[in-house]
Amino acid sequence: MDRTFSRIKTQSLNRLDLSKKGSVDEDIEHVVSLLNSCEQFFTTSSCSGRIILIDGAAGSSDAHKQNCVWLFVSHQKCTCDDLMSGLSRSCGDAVLKFEPFVLHVQCRRLEDAQLLHSVAVNSGFRNSGLTVGKTGKIVSAVRSTHGLEVPLSSHGKLLVDEDYIQFLTQTANQKMEENLRRVQRFFQNLQSAVLAERHQFPDSPGTQEHQDSQHTHKKGRRGGQGTNKQNQLNVYKLGHQHETDGCHDYGASSLPELDDCLDLFT
């Protein structure tokens, strides 16, 4: 199993990044690097969090971003002028969204996924969960619920005044700041968890590789680490995560077939 996982990991990380941006977002490069340096994890898609203004077809109920025009997108804080400039180009129904950090990680075994899930929940990402495919593929998703979605125009006509746009700008930026604080907390907690596991199992595979590189964080085989009722894994359909347009995405391996997902705690 370990050899198979290592082969899949190598193949996945060697694939081209299929996102619009074509690379990992700067604010989460350290998180992705840490996970990919661990023999039991590899990332399949990620987004550091973003503020986006999209323009959908007027009167359409289809909110999928692939059918929309992107008026503005930023993985950093924005200004009121940024949004007003984007809204000036709206011809349909414009919607402002803040989408928080999301990360998909394929895990070697269920115990590894449980550790990652516990770290995510304890870092504030309480909507995290995982899927297990019938073939044994385990994918953990790290995500939270502090998003924002506000309609701003209809048929190209602005529905609110500039004062409200200024208020929304402040709200979205506050959410971005909180999002980045949670990302840093997740990174620190993940570092601690990996280090604790390595010290608990010093003779396990990967320990020597950690000693060989100051940038590598390996952990060995996990002992049984239970979860309480509050931290039970939330199994959900990964297909409902926000799209990774403009964010790190290695393609087909990032999401398991939904029909193959099994509920772990029924």
Side-chain angles (χ1 to χ4, degrees):
M1 178 179 176
D2 288 348
R3 265 192 242 169
T4 300
F5 181 84
S6 296
R7 175 177 53 80
I8 294 172
K9 175 176 180 175
T10 300
Q11 291 173 347
S12 177
L13 296 182
N14 284 339
R15 288 194 184 103
L16 291 176
D17 191 321
L18 300 179
S19 65
K20 288 183 178 179
K21 183 181 177 183
S23 62
V24 176
D25 295 334
E26 182 178 354
D27 285 327
I28 58 171
E29 283 181 342
H30 59 311
V31 176
V32 171
S33 177
L34 173 57
L35 284 164
N36 288 334
S37 72
C38 297
E39 64 177 9
Q40 65 272 47
F41 301 122
F42 67 90
T43 62
T44 60
S45 66
S46 64
C47 179
S48 65
R50 61 191 178 184
I51 298 170
I52 58 175
L53 184 65
I54 57 177
D55 202 28
S60 172
S61 60
D62 188 355
H64 294 298
K65 288 188 286 294
Q66 59 265 34
N67 297 320
C68 299
V69 176
W70 291 55
L71 301 174
F72 174 78
V73 59
S74 175
H75 292 83
Q76 306 294 330
K77 292 191 290 185
C78 67
T79 67
C80 183
D81 288 343
D82 291 331
L83 300 184
M84 292 301 296
S85 176
L87 286 168
S88 69
R89 304 193 302 276
S90 173
C91 299
D93 296 347
V95 177
L96 173 68
K97 293 186 177 186
F98 169 71
E99 295 178 334
F101 170 68
V102 63
L103 175 71
H104 296 110
V105 182
Q106 188 161 336
C107 306
R108 181 181 55 186
R109 59 185 65 182
L110 184 57
E111 291 86 353
D112 300 322
Q114 288 176 314
L115 174 66
L116 187 59
H117 175 81
S118 178
V119 169
V121 171
N122 291 333
S123 303
F125 297 101
R126 300 188 181 279
N127 200 32
S128 299
L130 62 90
T131 59
V132 179
K134 292 179 181 178
T135 61
K137 180 179 179 180
I138 304 169
V139 176
S140 178
V142 179
R143 59 172 295 187
S144 63
T145 58
H146 67 295
L148 177 71
E149 182 171 347
V150 185
L152 295 179
S153 72
S154 178
H155 295 80
K157 181 181 179 180
L158 191 61
L159 301 175
V160 298
D161 60 23
E162 189 169 347
D163 286 343
Y164 188 65
I165 301 298
Q166 180 66 51
F167 169 74
L168 287 179
T169 301
Q170 295 173 356
T171 301
N173 286 340
Q174 289 170 355
K175 287 182 176 290
M176 179 64 81
E177 290 173 353
E178 172 59 24
N179 176 70
L180 294 179
R181 283 194 291 269
R182 294 187 188 188
V183 168
Q184 186 59 23
R185 195 181 310 141
F186 174 73
F187 175 70
Q188 292 171 347
N189 289 343
L190 181 61
Q191 275 187 316
S192 297
V194 168
L195 187 61
E197 290 267 317
R198 185 170 57 87
H199 285 167
Q200 185 177 2
F201 302 100
D203 296 327
S204 61
T207 300
Q208 186 60 44
E209 290 186 45
H210 177 91
Q211 296 170 347
D212 290 343
S213 173
Q214 63 178 345
H215 300 295
T216 302
H217 301 267
K218 292 283 184 179
K219 85 175 182 69
R221 301 179 185 274
R222 297 192 66 250
Q225 191 168 31
T227 56
N228 58 34
K229 291 183 179 179
Q230 293 180 342
N231 284 344
Q232 283 185 344
L233 300 183
N234 169 35
V235 181
Y236 64 93
K237 294 184 177 181
L238 293 180
H240 290 172
Q241 309 310 308
H242 74 251
E243 293 87 341
T244 54
D245 293 328
C247 301
H248 157 58
D249 182 6
Y250 285 126
S253 66
S254 62
L255 300 178
E257 293 297 329
L258 298 182
D259 292 340
D260 287 345
C261 294
L262 304 176
D263 194 333
L264 300 178
F265 293 97
T266 56

